[in-house]
Amino acid sequence: IKHTGYATPQTSDLNLRDYAIGGLLDMLFTFCRMERGTIFFHYEALFPPSWDFRRAAICYAACLAVIRTIKESRVQGSNAKLVLHMYDAIKPGVKHYEAGAQASALYTQMLAESEGVVFSSYTTDFGDFVDNALQTKLPRVHCHRYQRIPEVRQKRLEGAYHIAIISVLLEEFWEPSRTGFKPYIAEMLATGIHIHYYVGVSSRATAEVFRASLPKEDQTRFHLHDPIHSPHDLAYELSQYHAGWSLFNMQIFNDMTTYLDDQFMKDAMGLFTPTTLPSVIWSCAAAGLPVICNRDMRGVVDMLPEGMSIPLTLSEIGNMKNILDNVDWAAVDNCDLSSLDIENQIFRLYDFMDTLHAKK
């Protein structure tokens, strides 16, 4: 598998005992014949929504068709379960708001007919909301995404502040919540802050063009790195910096609550930011970096140990150096982060699977 995205892993990066590559019919044939085990199905795998509510409706319909096909066609006596892996709890959009009602109806049907749901890095608030809206109790679990505590941390770099950005933020591809950040990054560089930007091969050219547009002195503070797919190596690499970055342009979610007519979708988009716990958050915090995040990310602020989040708005970025000056770095370095390690979280998924298969 080639690196097609900014952080797409290769099969060699994963601890796979075996794997197969096939099409939709191969997948359905295999799933329907399974007599035991759990299938973690990424619900947007068949049709990416691409920030479009019409496409989101098709995405949910395709997943719903898979669920119904497997439930109707699996071998008799099978104890296998198909569990929806919700990397995003629901898909946002900025196109075709009029399709929000169709997307809402298909989304709620998809979840109502699912045999289990894994809300990947979302607080239980979102699952509670769906339960109440559907007037049912979903078999669900809320799990953080994979991250490791580094066995040994590096000494923090001295002489200036260093911020790690491990997700794309220079408009390498169309991602509405990550647009408009070039001026803010340039502003931080101009104040003497160093930015360490981890990008994929496919998006490096965009980052190099941005660096070339900066004044010469600021170019030296903008560092380009290849993505690191090993969780252990990434945690060790990040530990030398001062802060991680998970601050996005969240105005788009406010727009959705304004322009959508469907009440369920309006409420879901209103809950998206306060309940989300992005991968970047856990990777950076586990490495010992306080994370710069949106003030609206209440789940992040509440769940991270005290001092490990720096909640801001876009208007505050220009004061970043002074903000970092006021961080109690000794307290940050002595913060107990053991609860963030995947080894202290994976039991939730184990227990969920045991409970799921115990049900008749």
Side-chain angles (χ1 to χ4, degrees), residues 216-231:
K216 290 294 184 182
E217 186 177 358
D218 295 348
Q219 290 182 27
T220 64
R221 290 190 284 265
F222 186 70
H223 310 274
L224 289 177
H225 305 267
D226 289 333
I228 299 174
H229 299 294
S230 165

Side-chain angles (χ1 to χ4, degrees), residues 86-210:
M86 313 294 278
Y87 183 86
D88 278 338
I90 193 168
K91 299 306 296 185
V94 295
K95 296 180 180 179
H96 300 116
Y97 288 109
E98 73 280 0
Q102 291 87 348
S104 174
L106 288 162
Y107 176 88
T108 52
Q109 289 178 54
M110 177 182 73
L111 264 67
E113 297 192 30
S114 66
E115 296 178 315
V117 179
V118 176
F119 286 106
S120 175
S121 282
Y122 282 82
T123 68
T124 56
D125 292 339
F126 197 93
D128 294 341
F129 155 70
V130 174
D131 276 359
N132 291 332
L134 270 61
Q135 301 182 43
T136 187
K137 191 168 182 61
L138 295 173
R140 60 182 166 97
V141 65
H142 296 258
C143 291
H144 304 322
R145 296 170 191 164
Y146 190 96
Q147 71 284 323
R148 298 305 303 262
I149 303 289
E151 296 178 2
V152 178
R153 290 185 194 172
Q154 299 187 66
K155 183 180 179 181
R156 292 189 191 276
L157 296 173
E158 298 179 349
Y161 290 118
H162 294 255
I163 295 175
I165 300 179
I166 61 174
S167 60
V168 294
L169 209 67
L170 296 176
E171 302 179 27
E172 289 90 339
F173 57 87
W174 188 67
E175 175 75 18
S177 65
R178 303 183 189 189
T179 58
F181 278 91
K182 292 179 182 179
Y184 296 107
I185 294 176
E187 185 176 15
M188 287 190 291
L189 292 167
T191 65
I193 292 175
H194 288 247
I195 301 294
H196 295 263
Y197 195 68
Y198 289 77
V199 297
V201 174
S202 61
S203 56
R204 178 174 286 274
T206 302
E208 289 176 342
V209 169
F210 170 74

Side-chain angles (χ1 to χ4, degrees), residues 281-297:
I281 293 285
W282 302 110
S283 297
C284 291
L289 278 62
V291 183
I292 299 162
C293 64
N294 295 80
R295 288 187 180 275
D296 290 343
M297 290 181 169

Side-chain angles (χ1 to χ4, degrees), residues 40 117-119 122 124 140-145 147 277 282 303 339-356:
F40 292 98
V117 179
V118 176
F119 286 106
Y122 282 82
T124 56
R140 60 182 166 97
V141 65
H142 296 258
C143 291
H144 304 322
R145 296 170 191 164
Q147 71 284 323
L277 306 167
W282 302 110
M303 293 189 70
S339 64
L340 304 182
D341 194 282
I342 191 64
E343 291 186 359
N344 293 322
Q345 301 167 10
I346 198 66
F347 71 89
R348 296 187 182 92
L349 188 58
Y350 290 158
D351 292 346
F352 171 70
M353 292 172 63
D354 286 345
T355 302
L356 193 66

Side-chain angles (χ1 to χ4, degrees), residues 47-50 52-61 91-92 103 106:
F47 194 80
S50 302
D52 184 333
F53 282 107
R54 282 185 187 173
R55 292 181 62 91
I58 297 172
C59 164
Y60 304 145
K91 299 306 296 185
L106 288 162

